Amino acid sequence: AETLAADFLCSKGLRIATRNYRSRYGEIDLIAREGTTVVFVEVRSRASETYGGAAASITTAKRQKLIKTARHYLAGITPLPPCRFDAVLVTGDPPHIEWIRKAIED
């Protein structure tokens, strides 16, 4: 799903900077650039929309881990660039891809 998401985002003009960025707080699946904006991307995959689908799987706890991990990533970058959190949801077979910009607010 991450490779599908990365290819999809690249086709939309984003550049993948990092895959599977890890810190002691958690992991961010993809970190991309859209112009000067750093885009932190959570990729979620589900076989179907049953039980809420991929979007419902991004819990409050997961959001907090993503925010802390993003802050860790940004700690060494000056000046601080504009940032946002997106989600790419991959559902079904054949895969349906949904891109949600600003999926998580900090």
Side-chain angles (χ1 to χ4, degrees):
E2 285 181 21
T3 299
L4 285 172
D7 291 346
F8 175 83
L9 293 172
C10 287
S11 77
K12 301 297 182 187
L14 281 75
R15 182 180 57 80
I16 304 301
T18 305
R19 290 179 184 237
N20 303 112
Y21 178 80
R22 290 180 174 89
S23 77
R24 63 183 175 161
Y25 306 110
E27 178 183 353
I28 296 175
D29 296 323
L30 301 169
I31 299 175
R33 288 278 187 158
E34 186 174 43
T36 59
T37 301
V38 174
V39 183
F40 299 102
V41 182
E42 176 66 8
V43 179
R44 301 306 261 186
S45 177
R46 293 290 181 266
S48 73
E49 291 294 323
T50 307
Y51 306 112
S57 70
I58 303 174
T59 64
T60 301
K62 180 63 176 176
R63 284 191 215 70
Q64 293 304 313
K65 287 181 180 181
L66 289 169
I67 291 167
K68 286 180 181 179
T69 304
R71 286 182 179 148
H72 183 270
Y73 177 82
L74 293 168
I77 299 175
T78 54
L80 194 61
C83 310
R84 72 169 191 263
F85 292 89
D86 291 1
V88 175
L89 314 176
V90 181
T91 308
D93 186 21
H96 168 75
I97 298 174
E98 181 182 1
W99 179 19
I100 303 173
R101 292 171 176 254
K102 298 181 183 175
I104 300 168
E105 297 292 330
D106 180 14

